[in-house]
Amino acid sequence: MPDELVHLTAGGVSLVLDCRDRALPAVVHWGAALGPLDDAELVALAAADVAPVAQNEVDVPVRLAILPEPHRGWTGRPGLSGHRDGRDWSPAFTVSTLDVTDTSVTVEAEDTTAGLALRLTVELLASGLVRTRAAVTNTGAGTYTVDDLTLALPIPSHAREVLDFAGRWGKERTPQRRELVVGTHEREGRKGRTGADAATVLSVGEPGFGFARGEVWGVHTAWSGNHRHTAERLATGRQVVGGGELLLPGEVRLATGATYEGPWLYGAYGDGLDDQARRFHRWLRSRPTHPRTPRPMTINVWEAVYFDHDLARLTDLAERAARLGVERYVLDDGWFRHRRDDHAGLGDWYVDEDVWPEGLGPIVDRVRALGMEFGLWFEPEMVNEDSDLARAHPEWIMQADGRLPLRSRDQQVLNLAVPEAFAYVLERMTAIIGEYRVEYVKWDLNRDLLEAGRPGGGAAVHEQTLAAYRLMATLKERFPRLEIESCSSGGARVDLGVIEHTDRVWVSDDIDPLERQQMHRWTQQLLPPELLGAHIASRRSHTTGRVHDLAFRAGTAIIGHLGIEWDLTQATPDEERDLATWIALYKELRSLLHGGDLVRIDEVDDTRLVYGTVAPDKRRALFSFVSTGRSEVSGTGRIRFRDLDPGASYRVDPVVIGDDSGIVAPDWWSGDRVFRGRVLETVGLQPPLVPADCVVPFRLTAL
């Protein structure tokens, strides 16, 4: 009995699983930690979870496993959908082995009649995250087609408000809320990549839940191809959140002995959205592959030169950047053959001899002589029809039934599941990275995978996703110090699948700081700030046309992995001075910003934001007060700083770099500026009067 009712606890979370009677694991409790429970208490808890049988339902209580099973009376989305020429479509698994550790449960199960075996793993990570995945094996005769493998975690009935994200190019991670009603709230991603409109984390919580409080349960599917997230409420009142890979017709057809393993589904419980987000952050930071070195101050030359590659101009940018304290220099699109615009050349991964007659050596050598790392842009999964590669190997282009998909950005998708295509790209990237000792790759993916098929016509997004992961992993094996950024038309590939192979994401192609305030705020629901590429934009945004001063641009970007995306030749002497000061401040604070706990303050005025990072020992913090517009009132009220040590005294220092003529300081700025943590959280401080589109950081230091 003790090893059949399992209580896992970590990070303030309890997960109680019922594995009795050789049945698949069912969740009895997932949420706040329950404390120690003996065997009798676990039995009582499991009994208390069994609902009475209502009229006109099956005659026994419905049992909901993590892999939901119709044969147990579940009438919602089934966990496994598939068939063997129309048969074996409703399996009934019996557990054959049960393996329990302090942090996980793994079961092996089978249905000998259907000819299927199942492995289901459930883990409770140290941060309190739950993750689970399943693998199904065809043990019978003939081919078994897997149509869907979706896992589900139950949530309580008082969780009735859904929060997930929408978005588009240049405006990723736009939050949206709605009531969870009877039926299914389903978010599908059919773009062959995660998508700018991805749900990212689909959460359901107590109505009105916010950053600081309110129980919330969320899921994230760790997969960069087609995927789904669901929240479901049945007429019985049972509720679940779940997800998995979205398989296209015929993508997974298992021969006898073959196995399909779905992606990890992560479940994040929290008392408030900050608590939920920190569980993701703490787990990501605990991984051996998480970046350990300080995140280098970066310049990317894209918005400075676009395709106009000129050695003298690029060298000048490098020298200006080095004087300011930049540590990494990234040469973006346009360095390879035939690439004078975005209509040709993708796939021809050779340095363009016309533009770079001496190769990239002169710019690389100068960058290194200035003390900076060198990074380079690739888009390995794409090909232009106007390229030597496409002309030589048209059969390597993904297509359906011999018909090329519609172009997007004049691009098609290179089928990396074709061994020869994979080998070509790997050889070319290895050659370039090796020759120039490239330390950083900006890895782009600039179109959706529309009608993405293999030779012969079958759908192949699943294979393409695995091949992309394999290409990244192989390059990392060959170049252990190589860092990779996941860029996909900006933030269209942000997920925990790709982050296993990369070291940061490009949040958006839109670096207008007003837009980035929202995108940084919500991308951090999944990823910590050190994984967010956050660059200081040009004075006039190339995407929106808005004009912002340097203080707003830099103050917005400093919370992430800071960089510059700006033609520095256009900077005034005053801007150069202030930019150097911002860079120095970033270097001083990045250990705090990239190792502390995220805090976002729940605001009632939608024209302002208050957020920050508090060190784990609560001795230091950086909070930002942001005006994003003009309120209907002149004073929007005190700002409060949460999650400090209530008994400690903190000195609060505003950070104002550059022209402060638009800021009207409150009286407390001229005093000693020392306040108890309890006062800062409970009462707060009057903020300065500031214009729209302004950010004022505050450094808090415990005395």
Side-chain angles (χ1 to χ4, degrees), residues 93 125 141 192 264 312 363 509 523 582 585 596 606 684:
F93 289 108
L125 304 174
W264 285 109
I363 187 63
D509 282 343
T523 305
W582 280 107
L585 181 67
D606 60 9

Side-chain angles (χ1 to χ4, degrees), residues 416-473:
L416 292 181
V418 175
E420 296 80 5
F422 183 95
Y424 163 78
V425 175
L426 177 60
E427 185 278 326
R428 283 288 77 222
M429 293 187 74
T430 298
I432 296 292
I433 293 169
E435 179 178 357
Y436 296 110
R437 294 180 292 122
V438 174
E439 287 117 327
Y440 173 88
V441 167
K442 180 179 179 181
W443 187 303
D444 219 334
L445 174 65
N446 272 315
R447 67 155 293 168
D448 297 336
L449 275 61
L450 183 69
E451 292 192 308
R454 68 173 73 88
V461 171
H462 174 75
E463 294 177 355
Q464 180 77 357
T465 307
L466 292 176
Y469 288 164
R470 190 168 68 253
L471 182 58
M472 294 175 184

Side-chain angles (χ1 to χ4, degrees), residues 325-345:
V326 170
E327 299 161 311
R328 174 182 284 164
Y329 181 98
V330 181
L331 185 64
D332 210 288
D333 194 357
W335 57 268
F336 49 97
R337 284 180 185 169
H338 315 125
R339 192 65 169 176
R340 304 283 46 85
D341 53 37
D342 60 0
H343 303 303

